[in-house]
Amino acid sequence: MTVLAVVIALAVVVSSVLLIRGVRRLRGRAGGAPAQVHDVLEGAFLAGGPGRVVDAVIAGMQADGRLTIGGPGIVALGPGDARGDVELAVVQEHAAAPSGALHTLRRAVMRGAAVQRVGDTLAARGLLVQPAAAKPYARWGLIQGVASFVAVPFSVVTVGVLSMDSEPGGGFPPALVSLPPLMIVSTVVGLVCASRARRRLTAAGQAALKDFVLRDLSSTDPARVVATRGPRALPDEELRRHLGTAARARPEDHLLPAAVVVGTAATWCAGSAPGASCGASTDRSSHGGHHSHGGGVRRLGRRLRPWRRLGQRGRLQLLRVELWRFRFELRWGRRRGVRGRRLLSEGS
């Protein structure tokens, strides 16, 4: 029994030491020249992941009139070109989505190649931990913590039984006495290391995010406000409500474009089902042609493809969304037409 206790104690100590070293090496140490956040999208990714990036882009596009959200969360694109890969992804996914629902568009873009590349770039600079690299340590810590927790009462009972059976005045093996406290320590080490391994920010990433947040506290740019403090900090109550509802919406993969549902997994979307890097599919046109909304009737049949898979309640909801979108596009198109005619008359 003494030999077995010594073997168990050594195994627990070695496992704990290796786990602690692995997690510390994974997350890195602060020191040296602090890394810098290059733009708002990188700051948003560090602060809130892929979803925060999409929220910041949507807030920025709405602020300058290139995107509008109306009705029950229906997105319509206005005039203006996309600035950057993520905005281009918003335009492309909006054109390919079965409906203009904000939550569907948000999920497709956050799983898209443009947003995923932001995370890959930050990981390459040592600001984020790759999920694939952190997963073994998180699993290791969880297994050690749970196993040690389960072993605590057994070790206490074993020590109690052996102490009762031992002769009075006889020596008691110290290895057996140390098992219960050692298991308690092993439980704490395992669970703490598992929790730390799940955190995506490295020490350098935390320093870079802090510097980004403190760099311009007085900024009122909606994209930066969302990137640093989240959608709840937006002064626009309607936009804040739309973004919050979209973030809480349940994923509906049958309403996503095929390029999002089929392909390789999205690395930085936690909990996402297997999906593509979700970039633009080959049948999508360039972003310049996605600003014309007069073809809403022609695209209605394509958007209603999931109709047969939905129940009665789902069909009513989808029809309601499409009607709202169609009305919104008609209204937006009329405004753009009036504005264009006015500009032509002024030019002549």
Side-chain angles (χ1 to χ4, degrees), residues 103-225:
H103 70 278
T104 304
L105 176 66
R106 180 181 184 272
R107 180 170 170 79
V109 176
M110 68 181 281
R111 296 174 64 179
V115 176
Q116 298 295 305
R117 278 196 299 269
V118 178
D120 294 337
T121 302
L122 294 171
R125 301 206 322 256
L127 304 183
L128 286 178
V129 179
Q130 284 280 359
K135 189 175 181 179
Y137 290 101
R139 185 179 300 169
W140 182 355
L142 182 61
I143 292 175
Q144 175 176 319
V146 173
S148 300
F149 179 78
V150 173
V152 169
F154 289 99
S155 61
V156 172
V157 171
T158 301
V159 171
V161 171
L162 293 178
S163 63
M164 289 170 49
D165 293 341
S166 61
E167 298 179 359
F172 196 76
L176 289 175
V177 180
S178 64
L179 274 183
L182 187 61
M183 289 301 172
I184 295 175
V185 173
S186 176
T187 301
V188 175
V189 169
L191 296 181
V192 170
C193 287
S195 176
R196 288 180 62 83
R198 291 191 187 99
R199 298 176 186 174
R200 293 289 177 256
L201 282 179
T202 63
Q206 292 176 348
L209 177 60
K210 182 178 179 180
D211 176 71
F212 172 74
V213 172
L214 298 178
R215 194 181 304 167
D216 191 3
L217 291 175
S218 60
S219 175
T220 57
D221 177 28
R224 186 177 179 87
V225 170

Side-chain angles (χ1 to χ4, degrees), residues 155-332:
S155 61
V156 172
V157 171
T158 301
V159 171
V161 171
L162 293 178
S163 63
M164 289 170 49
D165 293 341
S166 61
E167 298 179 359
F172 196 76
L176 289 175
V177 180
S178 64
L179 274 183
L182 187 61
M183 289 301 172
I184 295 175
V185 173
S186 176
T187 301
V188 175
V189 169
L191 296 181
V192 170
C193 287
S195 176
R196 288 180 62 83
R198 291 191 187 99
R199 298 176 186 174
R200 293 289 177 256
L201 282 179
T202 63
Q206 292 176 348
L209 177 60
K210 182 178 179 180
D211 176 71
F212 172 74
V213 172
L214 298 178
R215 194 181 304 167
D216 191 3
L217 291 175
S218 60
S219 175
T220 57
D221 177 28
R224 186 177 179 87
V225 170
V226 173
T228 54
R229 289 175 282 171
R232 293 183 179 181
L234 284 170
D236 188 338
E237 182 178 355
E238 185 176 1
L239 178 59
R240 184 170 67 243
R241 176 174 56 83
H242 283 312
L243 292 177
T245 303
R248 292 189 300 268
R250 296 180 59 185
E252 297 173 326
D253 286 344
H254 62 279
L255 294 180
L256 292 176
V260 178
V261 180
V262 181
T264 49
T267 305
W268 295 101
C269 295
S272 62
S277 60
C278 311
S281 61
T282 56
D283 61 340
R284 301 177 195 172
S285 57
S286 63
H287 67 276
H290 293 315
H291 296 163
S292 175
H293 300 282
V297 175
R298 294 191 299 271
R299 294 197 301 267
L300 185 60
R302 180 161 57 110
R303 292 179 186 143
L304 293 179
R305 284 177 184 173
W307 184 270
R308 295 181 179 179
R309 304 182 224 169
L310 300 175
Q312 183 177 3
R313 185 175 180 181
R315 291 177 179 178
L316 291 175
Q317 179 66 19
L318 181 58
L319 186 59
R320 179 169 172 262
V321 167
E322 288 300 333
L323 289 176
W324 268 99
R325 179 189 171 117
F326 184 58
R327 290 175 55 192
F328 192 77
E329 287 181 345
L330 284 178
R331 191 174 305 171
W332 182 264

Side-chain angles (χ1 to χ4, degrees), residues 59-71:
M61 293 181 70
Q62 191 194 45
D64 56 21
R66 290 178 294 138
L67 181 147
T68 309
I69 305 175

